Amino acid sequence: MSDKARTLFDALDLDHDGTLTRAEVIDALRVKGPTLAARGVIPYWGVGNEDESSALFDEADQNGDRVLSFEEFATLVDRRFGW
């Protein structure tokens, strides 16, 4: 799993508990997304609206427990962003 996935995961983990909730993903991408894209942490096209962020969460939540582990998140973003 890529270092970029870890950097992005840590940036989105607003409460620093080691998991991501749907609300964290949506809020963090809305607030931090443009800055993360400008820094090269996420592709510009990876910063989406609330529906796109929610869909990203659903796609990554492999076990359906409504939280994302780093492994679930990294598997998706590494594949989606080509890291």
Side-chain angles (χ1 to χ4, degrees), residues 17-63:
D17 70 350
T19 62
L20 299 176
T21 64
R22 180 184 308 276
E24 277 181 308
V25 170
I26 291 168
D27 291 344
L29 283 175
R30 181 177 41 80
V31 174
K32 295 181 173 185
T35 301
L36 292 169
R39 289 184 19 220
V41 175
I42 188 173
Y44 279 103
W45 55 265
V47 179
N49 62 28
E50 184 174 332
D51 290 339
E52 292 166 332
S53 297
S54 186
L56 175 89
F57 181 91
D58 288 339
E59 187 177 345
D61 188 16
Q62 301 271 323
N63 63 5

Side-chain angles (χ1 to χ4, degrees), residues 3 11 13 32 51 57-58 67-68 75 83:
D3 291 337
D13 187 9
K32 295 181 173 185
D51 290 339
F57 181 91
D58 288 339
V67 295
L68 300 182
T75 297
W83 295 336

